[in-house]
């Protein structure tokens, strides 16, 4: 049986020095094993307090993360709260990877620049990824005509669809915080393989 090595980061908040270290670690991990290696991020790559990130609305930071080897990222709260959902399109293009947020919707559809889920071929292993963004600021989202519905049924729906498409593994990239992550892990025990969490900055 082959082993899938999953590397993950979260809440980088525009720290470009950290991305340089991440790139080195991803390269080292990829060259030190024959097992497939997947690197993903669980959200808040960008941050308004970092000059490069703020001037580019996070686009430059996503470009750097893509160069570091990231294959997918959850949509955190940083971009949408400060700039609206518009920059997600350019961020995803710059990074070269999908940004995932099944529960960031407008008129019943996931917003432009984001996807609910993605199926990746990681050296012959089909990995399904689903993303969730936090719903902590519903009034701000509502002012932008955005809906943030409950994540559990969306994860179930997307997990089932990914399995039907042939996913060997289904991973949730959650930017909800550790308490909700633990609840989801218990509720989805037989439906997903792994929860990668963020937002609460829990080590």
């Amino acid at each position: 049986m082959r082993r899938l090595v999953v590397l993950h980061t979260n809440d980088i908040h525009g720290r470009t020095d950290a991305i340089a270290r991440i790139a080195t670690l991803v390269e080292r991990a990829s060259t030190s094993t024959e097992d497939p290696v997947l690197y993903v991020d669980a959200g808040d790559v960008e941050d308004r307090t970092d000059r490069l990130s703020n001037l580019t609305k996070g686009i430059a930071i996503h470009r750097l993360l893509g160069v570091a080897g990231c294959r997918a990222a959850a949509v955190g709260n940083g971009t949408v709260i400060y700039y609206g959902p518009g920059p997600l399109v350019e961020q995803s293009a710059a990074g070269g990877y999908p940004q995932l947020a099944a529960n960031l919707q407008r008129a019943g559809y996931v917003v432009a620049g984001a996807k609910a889920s993605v199926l990746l071929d990681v050296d012959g292993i089909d990995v399904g990824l689903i993303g969730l963004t936090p719903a902590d600021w519903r009034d701000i989202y509502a002012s932008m005509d955005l809906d943030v519905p409950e994540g559990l049924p969306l994860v179930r729906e997307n997990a089932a669809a990914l399995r039907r498409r042939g996913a060997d593994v289904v991973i949730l990239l959650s930017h909800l915080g550790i308490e909700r992550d633990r609840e989801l892990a218990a509720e989805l025990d037989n439906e997903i393989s792994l929860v990668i969490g963020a937002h609460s900055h829990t080590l």
Side-chain angles (χ1 to χ4, degrees):
M1 175 178 277
R2 302 178 74 200
R3 181 182 71 155
L4 174 68
V5 178
V6 180
L7 307 177
H8 58 94
T9 51
N10 62 277
D11 297 282
I12 292 173
H13 289 289
R15 295 193 292 271
T16 53
D17 57 328
I19 298 176
R21 295 196 300 273
I22 290 165
T24 299
L25 293 171
V26 171
E27 182 179 13
R28 185 178 299 162
S30 299
T31 57
S32 64
T33 180
E34 295 182 357
D35 295 314
V37 175
L38 172 66
Y39 167 43
V40 294
D41 183 87
D44 274 3
V45 174
E46 63 290 315
D47 196 288
R48 191 172 58 170
T49 62
D50 176 80
R51 181 176 173 81
L52 177 62
S53 182
N54 194 39
L55 286 174
T56 64
K57 297 183 179 179
I59 294 167
I61 309 302
H62 282 275
R63 172 63 181 147
L64 292 173
L65 207 66
V67 171
C70 186
R71 297 285 305 276
V75 175
N77 51 280
T79 289
V80 180
I81 293 297
Y82 296 129
Y83 311 116
L88 294 175
V89 175
E90 291 184 78
Q91 288 177 358
S92 296
Y97 50 74
Q99 293 207 71
L100 305 176
N103 63 335
L104 184 60
Q105 302 181 3
R106 177 175 282 152
Y109 296 93
V110 175
V111 298
K115 295 181 177 183
S117 62
V118 67
L119 185 63
L120 300 179
D121 179 350
V122 184
D123 194 19
I125 297 178
D126 291 320
V127 180
L129 296 164
I130 305 165
L132 290 177
T133 201
D136 301 352
W137 302 273
R138 290 187 182 276
D139 55 337
I140 297 177
Y141 292 132
S143 71
M144 295 182 275
D145 295 321
L146 299 174
D147 299 314
V148 190
E150 168 59 35
L152 178 60
L154 295 171
V155 175
R156 284 195 163 129
E157 175 187 339
N158 281 278
L162 288 164
R163 295 285 188 189
R164 288 194 297 270
R165 292 173 59 193
D168 300 305
V169 177
V170 178
I171 298 172
L172 173 61
L173 297 180
S174 167
H175 202 82
L176 302 181
I178 193 168
E179 294 305 322
R180 185 58 182 138
D181 290 342
R182 286 172 172 161
E183 293 171 358
L184 285 171
E187 292 164 334
L188 296 163
D189 185 43
N190 296 318
E191 298 165 78
I192 60 173
S193 310
L194 178 67
V195 176
I196 295 176
H199 190 44
S200 53
H201 295 209
T202 305
L203 295 176

